[in-house]
Structure formats: C-alpha cells, structure tokens
Amino acid sequence: MDHHGQPHFELDEHFESIEEAWAFATHWWQQQQPAGEPATLVGLGLEVSTESGSWRTLRHPQG
C-alpha cells in the first residue's frame, strides 16, 4: 500500500511470502532513488489477505 493506505499502482501484486513482498518493494524503492543521493524514507506498507478473504495490515506506511 502507498503512504495514503491505498493499493500501490506498481507494487499491488500477489507474493508467496511476506519476505518476498517486502524485498520486491524495497528493491523497487531503491531503483526510484536518484544515483548518488542519500536514500529517503520509504512510505510503503504491507497488507495480506487472510484465509477468510479479509485484509490485514502488517506494516503501516511511514510517510
């Protein structure tokens, strides 16, 4: 999810694990940073679908 709590237009995908999802998101974020510039804070969160079909936020955006 983005920093507004909405699905992210590029990162809203299905992943096999939480670790895989977070690694994909952080890699994507690093690619967005200008070369040679210090990294900025990431405003991404992590939400998962439960077996019952509802959603659960595991990591809230920091932004």
Side-chain angles (χ1 to χ4, degrees), residues 13-44:
E13 298 286 337
H14 293 273
F15 296 94
E16 294 296 320
S17 70
I18 293 168
E19 293 79 14
E20 181 185 354
W22 195 249
F24 184 86
T26 54
H27 176 73
W28 175 86
W29 182 253
Q30 291 168 352
Q31 298 302 310
Q32 307 309 306
Q33 303 300 304
E37 295 292 321
T40 58
L41 293 177
V42 63
L44 300 173

